[in-house]
Amino acid sequence: MKKIAVLTSGGDAPGMNAAVRAVVRGALSHGWQVFGVRNGYAGLLGGDLQALAARDVGGIIQSGGTVLGSARCPEFAEPAGRAKALSNLAKKQIDALVVIGGNGSQSGSASLAREGFAVVGVPSTIDNDLYGNDVSIGCDTAINITLEAIDRLRTTASSHHRAFAVETMGRNCGYIALMAGIAGGAEVIALPEHELSPAEVAERLLAARQRGKTHALAVIAEGAKCGVHEIMEYYGAHRKSIGFDLRVTRLGHVVRGGTPSAADRVLATRLGAAAVETLAKTQGVLVGMVKGEIVTTPLAEVAGRMRPADAQLLELARVLAM
Ligand code: F6P
């Protein structure tokens, strides 16, 4: 019989619970024993593991966040930290680990794999920046929360003939901003993958006004160099060049909270279950979904790499904002 452990790590993402549920119940259906690790890699360091039964993961598929808790754990990046974690896993006689998390978390799992421990990664981050996977768990919900904010801001933008700059999360990846910007019909989208200067943002907002628009929306990715702060500063010095009154909204952690979308729950369920099936055969890989198919990519190839947003879609957004 196999004994496996599962943890959620890094920034929480809507759908993590559905993934935990799928891993636990998938493993139980193989006759394996499953342990939940509290608070990500920090729980591995502290030996904070608890056996999980099918009922322990009941009623969580619809909850945001993670019932296991999560943390950022710089200690785990050090060999001494990992040695402590490996010794705690050995004490509990755990054969393998499933790591549900984003880029930093999968770099951690790649290190464990390199050191000989059986580990499988499940891509879960609102940022959607993981190599070896098309869309990560949590990203769809984050896009929809951003989109809802954009739609709401459009109401006031339109009533008051204003422009709004909305900043959404995503760290160094512009995927959330790009998708929410396209779906929200934004006039301007600024991404780390395609930088715009504050003057260019102003120029596009002014051009929208000159085309007869009564309001305008700029969606700004958190990682863009021209952030909402820079845009507001520019506005302070060049009010006329924007053509509209301008207000700014930073969504921050709001986009990480709340109920996971159906798409995130289904994706998390499929990837969580696939992680268990993968562990039955192999290890040291990220289980992802590429073009609708489950695929595995060696964690050594995933670590340290980033999947950028497809900036070509920006041109489509620009043309259709005419
Ligand atoms: O990686 C997810 C994310 O929400 C990023 O979009 C953001 O840059 C970062 O985490 C914020 O980190 P923290 O929650 O630790 O402040």
Side-chain angles (χ1 to χ4, degrees):
M1 165 143 117
K2 244 194 172 127
K3 263 193 193 180
I4 71 161
V6 56
L7 62 80
T8 50
S9 163
D12 63 348
M16 274 183 160
N17 284 328
V20 170
R21 172 180 175 272
V23 170
V24 171
R25 292 189 175 172
L28 293 172
S29 76
H30 276 276
W32 301 350
Q33 229 184 321
V34 194
F35 287 78
V37 184
R38 308 284 316 167
N39 308 324
Y41 290 121
L44 271 192
L45 266 67
D48 197 354
L49 285 79
Q50 256 173 11
L52 293 173
R55 294 284 75 73
D56 294 325
V57 290
I60 66 168
I61 197 167
Q62 79 289 2
S63 317
T66 159
V67 292
L68 292 179
S70 191
R72 304 208 186 269
C73 181
E75 220 184 321
F76 193 76
E78 304 300 325
R82 286 197 300 279
K84 207 156 137 195
L86 285 169
S87 130
N88 285 332
L89 286 164
K91 266 188 223 152
K92 293 259 185 201
Q93 297 174 313
I94 306 283
D95 304 309
L97 176 69
V98 177
V99 173
I100 302 169
N103 240 324
S105 310
Q106 302 308 345
S107 292
S109 51
S111 303
L112 274 186
R114 204 177 46 240
E115 284 159 18
F117 196 78
V119 56
V120 162
V122 174
S124 177
T125 164
I126 62 163
D127 302 341
N128 198 31
D129 56 354
L130 273 160
Y131 180 79
N133 179 56
D134 282 347
V135 181
S136 49
I137 299 164
C139 178
D140 180 69
T141 308
I143 292 168
N144 279 299
I145 295 171
T146 303
L147 181 60
E148 190 187 338
I150 292 170
D151 289 347
R152 285 173 187 268
L153 290 168
R154 183 188 290 280
T155 308
T156 299
S158 172
S159 306
H160 289 260
H161 306 289
R162 281 180 186 160
F164 272 85
V166 191
E167 183 193 283
T168 189
M169 272 194 168
R171 206 183 285 277
N172 298 320
C173 180
Y175 190 82
I176 301 174
L178 178 60
M179 292 302 153
I182 290 174
E187 275 66 32
V188 182
I189 303 173
L191 312 177
E193 294 86 351
H194 185 91
E195 296 285 358
L196 293 175
S197 67
E200 284 169 316
V201 172
E203 202 179 290
R204 291 191 190 190
L205 293 176
L206 180 64
R209 176 144 190 122
Q210 289 166 344
R211 292 198 302 274
K213 296 211 175 189
T214 53
H215 62 262
L217 287 156
V219 181
I220 314 293
E222 173 189 24
K225 281 201 193 77
C226 162
V228 286
H229 182 70
E230 286 75 14
I231 293 172
M232 219 43 198
E233 249 180 20
Y234 187 87
Y235 175 61
H238 307 83
R239 272 172 197 266
K240 290 232 162 61
S241 71
I242 288 184
F244 291 103
D245 262 0
L246 179 69
R247 298 287 188 277
V248 153
T249 300
R250 290 181 94 162
L251 298 178
H253 290 82
V254 167
V255 303
R256 242 162 68 181
T259 308
S261 66
D264 271 329
R265 296 185 208 186
V266 172
L267 179 67
T269 299
R270 291 186 65 187
L271 291 179
V276 171
E277 296 314 313
T278 300
L279 262 185
K281 294 177 277 197
T282 184
Q283 60 198 48
V285 293
L286 180 85
V287 176
M289 183 89 72
V290 174
K291 296 189 169 74
E293 302 285 333
I294 301 278
V295 298
T296 57
T297 308
L299 283 163
E301 280 178 35
V302 173
R305 266 168 116 163
M306 196 190 133
R307 180 185 186 280
D310 178 6
Q312 281 182 15
L313 282 173
L314 276 173
E315 184 52 18
L316 174 66
R318 201 186 61 75
V319 169
L320 297 185
M322 63 169 48

